Amino acid sequence: MKILVATEKPFAAVAVKGIREVIEGAGAELVLLEKYTDKAQLLAAVADVDGIIVRSDIIDAEVMDAAPNLKIVVRAGAGYDNIDLQAATAHGICVMNTPGQNSNAVAELAFGMMVMMARNLYNGTSGTELKGKTLGIHAFGQVGRNVARIAKGFGMDVYAYDPYCPAEAIEAAGVKALATVEELYRTCQYISLHIPATDETKKSINHNLTSLMPKGAMLVNTARKEVIDEEDLVRIMEERPDFRYVTDIAPANASLLAEKFPGRTFATPKKMGAQTAEANINAGIAAAHQSIGYLRDGIDKFRVNK
Ligand code: 3PG
């Protein structure tokens, strides 16, 4: 039994060590493909593997065609928009994610970026505090819940909107549930995005929503760049000198934004919400256990394709 860890953006070494222990401890072989730069390297590496563990690496029909023994792909992380689920089902391949394993890391980065922008990118001028400000959590999944927990420590007034999560579950976490997405944007000066990239959500964060935000608005994106309508983002920033945007996923128009709106946008150079040793260990080791569990015993908890 061979399991490939294919990570264009590698896990911390300590996480790879843990993954190796789980895989080799189960009598399987670990194959490592880190920091690859070319799809051809991935296509060659999958030729004889039974399982693949990835991060945001693209696993499409071409990769699956090149992997005749492949039975499982585990996305060590939350969002699985990088994996072609339909193709996987057609190839008889199980796809899983590892929900919750890297969510604290992402939530902490959201706060890191919020504080940095609220303090004017640490340029020495007088900024503002998060305490007493309204924070809207757009989608109350695992990351959203961690954001809520941290926000309470900051003394923020926390709201959430999630059409897939019952209001009672949101309220049980001590967060005010709002009935519509418009209400969330109208109520909250800070909005933190935690929606996946799906046909329904792509480009959904548009001018209609952002224009509702109160004065001193800050949009925080640790979710996916595809959910933003980037032309509308430029428009709202042109109209509103108070509007700020911080993101862990650089938009296609990042240089235009930086040039046009200096001091009001920030993008990490590479997506790094989940780039902590702890998140890598949690997600990587969970992915290793899930791969072995499926290949050895057929356990398909956390399967995301039919
Ligand atoms: C996720 O969906 O788990 C996060 O976006 C982290 O992605 P990464 O593993 O590519 O850093």
Side-chain angles (χ1 to χ4, degrees):
M1 196 160 47
K2 255 190 186 181
I3 298 175
L4 171 72
V5 171
T7 47
E8 178 272 323
K9 183 176 61 185
F11 291 121
V14 62
V16 176
K17 186 170 173 278
I19 293 168
R20 182 180 295 284
E21 279 165 14
V22 172
I23 292 177
E24 292 181 352
E29 187 185 335
L30 169 70
V31 184
L32 260 187
L33 177 68
E34 294 181 310
K35 289 192 190 173
Y36 59 96
T37 47
D38 193 333
K39 190 174 184 184
Q41 294 170 274
L42 179 62
L43 293 175
V46 300
D48 60 349
V49 301
D50 302 282
I52 308 179
I53 294 172
V54 290
R55 297 186 63 176
S56 291
D57 308 77
I58 308 286
I59 302 295
D60 57 14
E62 193 187 358
V63 177
M64 296 174 200
D65 285 339
N69 296 342
L70 187 61
K71 295 160 199 75
I72 180 160
V73 176
V74 184
R75 193 288 189 235
Y80 42 85
D81 46 305
N82 51 318
I83 299 167
D84 187 333
L85 296 189
Q86 262 187 332
T89 301
H91 284 76
I93 296 166
C94 172
V95 180
M96 296 184 194
N97 65 349
T98 65
Q101 300 291 351
N102 59 18
S103 49
N104 179 65
V106 178
E108 286 191 14
L109 185 79
F111 277 87
M113 294 195 298
M114 275 191 248
V115 171
M116 183 178 64
M117 185 54 84
R119 295 301 185 97
N120 303 327
L121 303 168
Y122 307 131
N123 70 0
T125 64
S126 187
T128 54
E129 299 177 21
L130 300 186
K131 188 178 176 193
K133 305 298 189 300
T134 46
L135 170 69
I137 300 175
H138 189 163
F140 205 65
Q142 303 270 7
V143 184
R145 283 172 179 273
N146 277 284
V147 166
R149 173 180 53 78
I150 299 168
K152 283 190 238 160
F154 271 87
M156 298 186 90
D157 192 10
V158 191
Y159 297 79
Y161 167 76
D162 189 333
Y164 300 102
C165 180
E168 303 77 59
I170 295 175
E171 301 275 345
V175 172
K176 288 165 226 155
L178 294 176
T180 67
V181 68
E182 287 81 12
E183 241 183 297
L184 188 79
Y185 282 71
R186 201 174 292 121
T187 307
C188 298
Q189 180 184 345
Y190 287 78
I191 294 279
S192 192
L193 298 173
H194 303 295
I195 48 178
T198 63
D199 289 344
E200 185 192 348
T201 64
K202 281 179 188 163
K203 288 196 172 199
S204 66
I205 309 306
N206 55 22
H207 189 268
N208 291 346
L209 285 182
T210 52
S211 60
L212 298 174
M213 291 177 74
K215 198 163 167 27
M218 192 189 300
L219 182 63
V220 183
N221 186 4
T222 54
R224 289 290 182 271
K225 77 172 183 176
E226 292 84 356
V227 302
I228 304 285
D229 183 323
E230 293 182 357
E231 282 173 24
D232 278 13
L233 180 63
V234 173
R235 189 173 148 212
I236 191 73
M237 294 198 71
E238 270 167 353
E239 288 170 6
R240 288 185 45 177
D242 64 304
F243 197 100
R244 292 158 297 167
Y245 180 60
V246 291
T247 182
D248 187 29
I249 327 94
N253 58 359
S255 49
L256 172 91
L257 285 179
E259 204 177 292
K260 274 188 102 150
F261 312 111
R264 290 204 279 137
T265 63
F266 171 79
T268 54
K270 198 171 180 89
K271 184 163 77 141
M272 55 174 296
Q275 270 305 54
T276 66
E278 294 88 339
N280 290 173
I281 292 168
N282 294 344
I285 291 179
H289 280 300
Q290 288 173 218
S291 304
I292 295 290
Y294 183 76
L295 290 170
R296 207 176 43 190
D297 305 315
I299 300 167
D300 67 353
K301 192 175 172 193
F302 302 124
R303 183 178 188 137
V304 294
N305 65 330
K306 300 277 175 257

